[in-house]
Amino acid sequence: MLFNSLHFLLFFIVITALYFSLSQSKRWMLLLAGSCYFYMAFVPVYILILGFTIVVDYFAGILIENSTGKQRKLYLLYSIVANIGVLAVFKYYNFFNDNFSALMQGLGTPFSFPYLSILLPIGLSFHTFQAMSYTIEVYRGHQKAERHFGIYSLYVMFYPQLVAGPIERPQNLLPQFHALHEFDYARVTSGLRLMAWGLFKKVVIADRLAIAVDTVYSNPERYNSVGLIIATIFFTYQIYCDFSGYSDMAIGAARVMGFRLMTNFNNPYQSSSIGEFWKRWHISLSTWFKDYLYISLGGNRVPVPRWYFNLLIVFLVSGLWHGANWTFVAWGAIHGVYLIGGLLTGGIRKRISKILHLDRIPLLSVLTTFGLVAFAWIFFRANSMSDAIYIATHSITGIPGVIHRALTHQTVYQNLGLSTSFMVLMVCSIILLETVHFFHNKYNLAIVFRRLPTPVRWAFYYAIVLAIIFFGVFENRQFIYFQF
Amino acid sequence: MKKLLAKSLLFLMPLVMFFIYLEVNLSTIQNSYSYKRQCFEHQLDSIEVLVLGSSQVVYGINPAFFTLHGFNLSNVSQTLYYDTHLPLAYLDRMPRLKYVMINISYFSFGEQLIDGREAWRDYYYSQYWDVNFPEMEYLDSKRFSKIFLYTPMRSLSYFWDSFQVDLIKNYEPSGYSRIDTTIHTQSDSTGFLRVRTHDDCFLEKRIAENQRDVEEFIRVLQARNITPVLVTPPVCETYSKFINHEKMQRNYDRVQSICSKYNCKYFNYFSDNRFTRTDFCDNDHLNFIGAEKFSRIINREVLVAR
């Protein structure tokens, strides 16, 4: 069931209405049943995989808490192996098998394991990571093992964040299932507002940009560097609006019922460095990797070369987490290199920018970061490594030709097969998005909104609703992050 | 809770009224689906030949050139599923029906709308013909709303035009749609792309179900003493030269096996040299000249000869 579907609209209304009409003792049952229905609307049988990880981690949590010494570590290991095992089989088996058989072919001894013809369960990496964070936190003593099997199942399956996060921590989410959430008009409307904004970002901006992006990325060789750059910038906004739109809807839907989910995005494209970008982009995943992988590897409390190695490992794993394809690994590696390069050249860059007075133009570092991030997205979006390399090289090497065309008064703009009104709508949407972000940074828009006279506020609501309906794309486009 | 409900109702009321206004007005617009159904139901009593198929038939067979009363029930991208399901509910009300022509194109056996870019057409059949493809999503807004069926953006443009739009230009009451162009744009490159598009929408997994539908339909027709005829329409040489001949042969074998099983006739005009470039408006569609020629041939060789 997609958030941008009529099915979800009806589901949400029914579940929320029932939620507030039931007593606290029965609410978890409703949410669990609703979450099962929500998940089974994709591929019903995959609920068994989810059930497997829930059972394993539920008992692992209790066993870890009840044991001491090496035994605790062993139970944690069992749990992690089970979770990673599920990921390995369903997400990475064919990828590793393909690479293994290519290697064997190269060595002159062709061999491969049988191909596993299965569909990747939706959001597998998200709920697996959330389940793992539970056993790790119990092991570390930061969280008590949950004895209520239904509540624990709900922790893994809570429908708003089941398939694409935010990846919650047990300390934040588990206690909320035990707490009573009264109906609060201001909170409910704030949740609904956030959902509407998320839906706007998804169907009006992301899905419309996707039309242009898909056109170019499916046949990159047909486009010049201007076309490739436009498509890449569009994808940069598409993925942000797609994923942050989903997060907004998830956080909003949970907020309506009184649950506080963690913030997942904080205007990432206004970051002035790659380090800052990762503090603002997919926060629930980057903090997961920081807390459970980076720190476990020693973090920055190790010799400098080892620190850099740790950073690179975290980003390579992060790339692989996103998908079983070398393009994702390359994307992770590029970000790792950015970060390490940034650390190595920090001093020199500071001195140069002081000499040239570049530090007086803060927008420059924001634009540079945006450019670097957009470049890395090429590898994330491209259908293959060869396509990615083609787009990356031709985006850059074609620029002199474009400049020459511009200087000789020839057309540089390449039609992406889209109408002018489409392009105008897209550019206006991006400008609107950045304007909202700009004002939200300066003034808290939620507070400003509440203070507006009702007719003005409602005019905004009508504008958003009508824009969603009339300018939105409703072709059941999945959210990009569902595949991860 | 009451406050939220009251405010929501107040907020939604103008929107709901606007959408009802749009829905009512959009439902008055005639499109090829509503128009064909209306014309078809109007002529049920007298139809003797029913022609089914996709765009090659829509533009390629004009029942006006038949000596029997014909109706062209084909539509753009209409698949065998709809060819075999649309007439079922009407057979009892067609006392004079003698022939049903089932179109078998290069891609027919491997195609279902839901697999491709024209999946939206499934919802037109759902709304205007009450025929639902089983794999269609039940809770899709396109199934219930004209705004989403036409797409909200297009609905808005129809609203700006005061709903004065003509979506059935060139359609005749016989179901035939005339293409006036005699400018020949068919080239090898467009032919190659056209065949590639058709190859892309041909899925092996769909063959068995399409063959089953055709066979079931033939059984139903024969039980009512109606003669089913299988016909492959002509295409331009700029199309035929790019086809996968192995696939074409398998299609042919499949049709032959159906024909021998049910003792029915197959007429293959795919590479018929009576059709020249001037008969086509593009690589695989006849223009009005070609349509007249093809309809007369059908009348002579398929209908009168029998």
Side-chain angles (χ1 to χ4, degrees), chain B residues 167-271:
Chain B
L167 303 180
I168 50 166
K169 207 157 71 178
N170 296 336
Y171 273 92
E172 295 178 6
S174 63
Y176 164 68
S177 178
R178 178 187 167 102
I179 295 186
D180 282 325
T181 183
T182 48
I183 303 162
H184 313 119
T185 54
Q186 59 274 42
S187 65
D188 279 356
S189 58
T190 55
F192 172 76
L193 288 175
R194 189 79 187 141
V195 172
R196 202 168 76 172
T197 306
H198 286 153
D199 278 333
D200 287 347
C201 65
F202 187 100
L203 301 179
E204 292 287 331
K205 65 173 183 177
R206 296 296 189 184
I207 293 174
E209 65 197 45
N210 276 323
Q211 185 167 346
R212 189 195 58 218
D213 282 344
V214 170
E215 290 190 22
E216 267 176 32
F217 187 53
I218 289 174
R219 278 197 295 271
V220 170
L221 294 175
Q222 288 181 334
R224 290 162 192 266
N225 284 326
I226 300 165
T227 309
V229 185
L230 279 70
V231 178
T232 296
V235 294
C236 191
E237 44 151 345
T238 54
Y239 180 96
S240 58
K241 64 161 67 159
F242 294 110
I243 59 155
N244 177 336
H245 290 281
E246 213 174 288
K247 189 194 282 183
M248 193 65 190
Q249 184 59 45
R250 284 203 302 271
N251 272 342
Y252 183 76
D253 294 344
R254 204 168 289 122
V255 175
Q256 288 300 343
S257 82
I258 293 172
C259 287
S260 59
K261 192 171 172 186
Y262 295 97
N263 192 26
C264 50
K265 290 272 184 193
Y266 172 51
F267 296 87
N268 187 354
Y269 298 101
F270 190 75
S271 301

Side-chain angles (χ1 to χ4, degrees), chain A residues 45-240:
Chain A
V45 73
Y46 283 155
I47 196 136
L48 297 174
I49 302 163
L50 206 54
F52 169 75
T53 52
I54 287 171
V55 170
V56 166
D57 293 324
Y58 170 75
F59 287 108
I62 294 171
L63 289 169
I64 290 168
E65 193 174 72
N66 289 346
S67 49
T68 51
K70 276 188 177 172
Q71 200 66 26
R72 279 169 72 79
K73 209 168 202 165
L74 205 62
Y75 288 131
L76 175 69
L77 200 68
Y78 287 154
S79 152
I80 290 176
V81 167
N83 285 298
I84 300 284
V86 168
L87 269 179
V89 171
F90 287 94
K91 190 167 178 174
Y92 300 109
Y93 173 82
N94 287 333
F95 173 66
F96 285 121
N97 189 21
D98 286 347
N99 286 287
F100 175 73
S101 60
L103 180 73
M104 295 305 278
Q105 184 88 27
L107 294 173
T109 48
F111 175 80
S112 69
F113 294 103
Y115 186 80
L116 212 55
S117 181
I118 45 169
L119 208 67
L120 176 68
I122 294 245
L124 181 68
S125 302
F126 284 94
H127 47 75
T128 306
F129 267 41
Q130 182 152 318
M132 277 161 67
S133 77
Y134 166 76
T135 45
I136 297 172
E137 291 297 338
V138 172
Y139 173 79
R140 288 180 176 176
H142 299 158
Q143 172 67 38
K144 284 197 157 203
E146 176 60 57
R147 293 319 209 245
H148 192 305
F149 184 72
I151 297 282
Y152 175 72
S153 305
L154 194 53
Y155 163 74
V156 180
M157 293 196 67
F158 187 41
Y159 85 82
Q161 40 91 250
L162 170 62
V163 288
I167 304 167
E168 277 296 338
R169 302 303 141 79
Q171 297 95 314
N172 179 43
L173 193 55
L174 269 173
Q176 293 190 56
F177 292 124
H178 293 284
L180 175 67
H181 304 289
E182 300 282 6
F183 182 87
D184 176 349
Y185 177 79
R187 193 199 64 227
V188 169
T189 51
S190 142
L192 292 174
R193 262 199 305 271
L194 194 57
M195 288 178 79
W197 176 237
L199 187 61
F200 175 85
K201 286 200 277 188
K202 166 68 180 163
V203 298
V204 179
I205 308 180
D207 286 353
R208 209 153 271 286
L209 287 171
I211 297 169
V213 175
D214 292 351
T215 309
V216 176
Y217 271 73
S218 56
N219 284 300
E221 65 285 353
R222 286 191 195 166
Y223 299 89
N224 68 18
S225 66
V226 175
L228 297 174
I229 290 170
I230 290 174
T232 301
I233 292 173
F234 276 9
F235 180 68
T236 305
Y237 279 101
Q238 182 203 337
I239 192 157
Y240 169 69

